Amino acid sequence: MAESLKPVAGLLLVLNFCMYVVVAAIGGWAVDVAIDRGFTIAPGLVLPAQFSPIFFPMGNAATGFFIIFALIASVVGAAAALAGVNHIRAWNSDSLPAAASSAIIAWALTLLSMGLACKEIDMEGRNARLRTMEAFMIILSATQLLYILTVHSAASIRSRP
């Protein structure tokens, strides 16, 4: 029975990895735009009172926080997927703790980013790339949880006498 969950876990792992890479690419684009079009000040002038180092010229007030946390979640999620690949290859109880713990940390960061995505959706005023990033983070919060449940259920099936 546990062996039958291996293809499901592998499929979810590949799906999550691809989605995390897309989120990282879009987040990298957003950071590049923010650096290129960000706030500049002439020498000798002071910063305005409302200056924020997390200013993004696209989106709304939640965009900066969402992009930063989505980038962190996507890098941790991609790394967790690599640990998951090792677990899928070995498919034993020795490789489970590394894969499960990294997947849970990635899921927690993804949930945080999903919450910021919901806030950004609520505030409106964003472009298509940000909408894509928001949608991927919301989908990833569910698929990452499914991956965690699949891996843990396979481990519990294997441990039964």
Side-chain angles (χ1 to χ4, degrees):
M1 181 73 166
E3 198 67 31
S4 66
L5 291 174
K6 190 174 179 180
V8 175
L11 176 68
L12 287 168
L13 191 64
V14 169
L15 175 69
N16 288 349
F17 180 76
C18 293
M19 290 179 70
Y20 277 126
V21 168
V22 170
V23 168
I26 297 172
W29 164 82
V31 169
D32 183 54
V33 167
I35 291 170
D36 288 345
R37 298 186 207 161
F39 185 79
T40 57
I41 191 164
L45 297 176
V46 296
L47 293 172
Q50 282 89 15
F51 175 73
S52 172
I54 306 178
F55 170 75
F56 283 78
M58 81 292 277
N60 52 42
T63 300
F65 296 103
F66 167 64
I67 289 173
I68 297 300
F69 282 102
L71 275 172
I72 293 169
S74 63
V75 169
V76 173
L82 295 177
V85 166
N86 184 41
H87 175 62
I88 297 292
R89 280 187 23 232
W91 202 248
N92 60 31
S93 59
D94 293 336
S95 62
L96 176 66
S101 62
S102 60
I104 289 171
I105 291 169
W107 180 60
L109 289 169
T110 302
L111 285 178
L112 177 63
S113 182
M114 184 204 65
L116 290 166
C118 292
K119 180 65 177 175
E120 189 179 37
I121 291 168
D122 184 50
M123 293 179 78
E124 297 180 357
R126 61 236 191 261
N127 64 21
R129 289 181 180 154
L130 291 176
R131 284 189 207 116
T132 302
M133 204 168 157
E134 294 161 358
F136 274 34
M137 292 312 292
I138 292 168
I139 294 167
L140 274 166
S141 65
T143 58
Q144 186 72 12
L145 177 62
L146 287 176
Y147 169 71
I148 292 168
L149 293 175
T150 302
V151 169
H152 275 84
S153 64
S156 67
I157 291 171
R158 276 194 305 249
S159 65
R160 289 185 193 160

